[in-house]
Amino acid sequence: MKAAVLYTPQSNLMVEHVRLIDPQPHEVLVRLQATGICHSDVMVIQGTSTVPMPVVLGHEGAGIVEAVGEDVTQVTVGDHVILSWAPYCGECFYCKSDHLNLCEAYAPRVLDGVLLDGTTRLRSSAGEEIKHYSFLSTFAEMTVVPETCCIPIDRDMPFAPASLVGCAVTTGIGAVRNTARVQPGSSVAVVGVGGVGLNIIQGARIAGAERIFAVEINPAKEQQARAFGATHFIDPLAAEDLIRSETGGLGADYAFESAGRKQTMEFAYQLARRGGTVVFVGVAESTSMVSLSATQLTRSEKHILGSFYGGAKPSRDFPAILELYRQGRIKLDELIGARYTLDNINEAVAAMRTGRYARVVIEL
Ligand code: APR
Ligand code: ZN
Ligand code: ZN
């Protein structure tokens, strides 16, 4: 099959022939139909996030089940699926307490770029090992993934918008519905209006938030932020004053961070009112540390919540999100700024890096 391989950071992806080893027990071979390019993929290409290489990136995909390994029970050949990047073992403390996104089997394997059994299915044409990315490696015509990554969907659901449910949409909407449980009538600040931030905004809108403040350095994001439900669009320099004046001097009931930076995490903490809720959604560089006022941490009684993959349970949340889409309550197609083919993936990455688009999608 053809796949886009990254050999070193800050270089082009090489679209070349790659060998895929058959799915092992509890694994599934998926013929990919569409994949989004997420900020996290771009960070690896830029070198701001490091993973084992060579690697096939991509973790926001949808496709059709082509073959299944032994003992697979969750899908059958021909099923249309959205891929979740968080497989789970079903046996650890977190799986048993229904926190699938915190499964203990996940972290060590994802860092090593391998599947759950510690090995890889990707080989170069010379037979050398190629690493997986987030278990999915969707910048390819096909992929082998753990079966718990495969969430079946209706066959009439178009693949391009479906693919985005695999990362940005679930991360954003899940942060609102699962992690923060935003209440109707509340005020919500969202720092960073990218693919994830727009989904926090539309999640807050359907949760019945009354005021939604989009805080963003790039003025070009205003129209889209408003279309997704923002009632205010504010430059960070003006945000604190404006949010206070619009909330009777208090600050926002909820402040979400979706830019993935230390500074924006600290800023989101500032924007929440005393007793309010701060939700960290973006994933910052692993070396950075946040600095918050030690007195205020206690005195202001703000609730600080981390939200990883929107606190999602994909088998429950993906279908629920698709139902909201079907009812016209959330936008998915509007997230797609441009479409490319696998052969043109480097142009697609460059387009993502301009900051102009919430998402670009590769159609496979
Ligand atoms: N203040 C406000 N907005 C900012 C700031 C800042 N200081 N710095 C960056 N931004 C904005 C960018 O202009 C952009 O619109 O944050 C947005 C980030 O969006 P994307 O780059 O599209 O990233 P996205 O895919 O939404 O992911 C956001 O979540 O999953 C993680 O790794 C991902 O950390 C990233 C975050
Ligand atoms: Zn992502
Ligand atoms: Zn587990």
Side-chain angles (χ1 to χ4, degrees):
M1 63 148 181
K2 232 169 21 175
V5 185
L6 182 68
Y7 285 89
T8 55
Q10 298 181 326
S11 68
N12 272 335
L13 305 176
M14 307 298 284
V15 179
E16 58 190 35
H17 284 278
V18 165
R19 196 159 69 79
L20 197 55
I21 295 169
D22 289 342
Q24 302 301 297
H26 295 293
E27 292 176 1
V28 176
L29 174 64
V30 176
R31 183 171 288 279
L32 292 156
Q33 301 294 314
T35 177
I37 299 181
C38 175
H39 187 85
S40 310
D41 302 304
V42 175
M43 281 171 73
V44 176
I45 298 168
Q46 286 174 337
T48 40
S49 157
T50 35
V51 301
M53 292 185 195
V55 60
V56 175
L57 296 173
H59 63 279
E60 199 174 63
I64 303 172
V65 174
E66 176 110 348
V68 295
E70 281 171 39
D71 305 323
V72 166
T73 57
Q74 307 206 349
V75 288
T76 54
V77 172
D79 280 355
H80 291 200
V81 292
I82 297 176
L83 300 179
S84 150
W85 50 249
Y88 51 90
C89 71
E91 281 157 22
C92 70
F93 169 83
Y94 294 103
C95 286
K96 286 197 167 141
S97 50
D98 219 24
H99 278 105
L100 302 182
N101 61 330
L102 298 184
C103 171
E104 300 214 51
Y106 167 88
R109 299 309 192 199
V110 77
L111 294 175
D112 288 346
V114 296
L115 295 187
L116 287 174
D117 72 350
T119 65
T120 56
R121 308 286 166 267
L122 296 161
R123 297 288 179 275
S124 73
S125 48
E128 283 157 23
E129 184 181 71
I130 297 175
K131 298 291 187 179
H132 297 254
Y133 181 66
S134 278
F135 300 96
L136 300 186
S137 294
T138 56
F139 295 170
E141 291 175 325
M142 288 187 273
T143 186
V144 169
V145 301
E147 69 170 316
T148 53
C149 293
C150 296
I151 310 300
I153 59 171
D154 288 346
R155 293 192 183 202
D156 60 359
M157 178 67 204
F159 287 109
S163 68
L164 305 185
V165 175
C167 187
V169 179
T170 296
T171 300
I173 292 183
V176 174
R177 287 159 62 100
N178 299 327
T179 310
R181 298 173 194 261
V182 166
Q183 296 302 303
S186 48
S187 55
V188 172
V190 181
V191 185
V193 184
V196 174
L198 283 171
N199 283 292
I200 296 173
I201 290 172
Q202 65 175 342
R205 180 176 48 74
I206 59 171
E210 199 174 299
R211 290 186 189 78
I212 303 174
F213 305 99
V215 181
E216 169 60 59
I217 43 170
N218 181 353
K221 306 261 176 167
E222 172 158 7
Q223 200 189 359
Q224 210 176 15
R226 291 192 186 273
F228 275 67
T231 55
H232 300 71
F233 183 89
I234 332 163
D235 182 86
L237 290 174
E240 214 169 334
D241 287 348
L242 190 131
I243 292 173
R244 272 187 212 290
S245 76
E246 290 285 323
T247 54
L250 298 175
D253 295 321
Y254 302 87
F256 290 85
E257 194 281 347
S258 47
R261 286 169 173 79
K262 148 198 174 60
Q263 293 82 355
T264 43
M265 294 173 86
E266 291 162 358
F267 193 50
Y269 180 81
Q270 282 307 116
L271 296 180
R273 67 165 167 81
R274 288 192 298 135
T277 301
V278 187
V279 189
F280 295 135
V281 185
V283 182
E285 283 180 55
S286 58
T287 50
S288 59
M289 307 285 282
V290 297
S291 170
L292 301 172
S293 154
T295 6
Q296 288 307 316
L297 273 173
T298 305
R299 296 183 71 128
S300 68
E301 277 201 12
K302 296 183 190 183
H303 300 251
I304 299 182
L305 304 175
S307 184
F308 185 52
Y309 209 176
K313 209 174 149 189
S315 61
R316 173 198 67 192
D317 291 11
F318 289 7
I321 287 169
L322 294 180
E323 185 54 31
L324 291 170
Y325 170 71
R326 235 171 251 120
Q327 292 169 359
R329 295 177 65 203
I330 59 163
K331 299 176 194 295
L332 297 181
D333 301 283
E334 292 81 352
L335 290 166
I336 304 172
R339 297 176 191 240
Y340 292 85
T341 62
L342 189 58
D343 287 324
N344 295 327
I345 192 163
N346 289 300
E347 280 172 51
V349 171
M352 224 15 230
R353 288 177 74 167
T354 63
R356 213 173 328 145
Y357 305 117
R359 276 295 183 269
V360 305
V361 167
I362 309 287
E363 291 182 301
L364 296 150

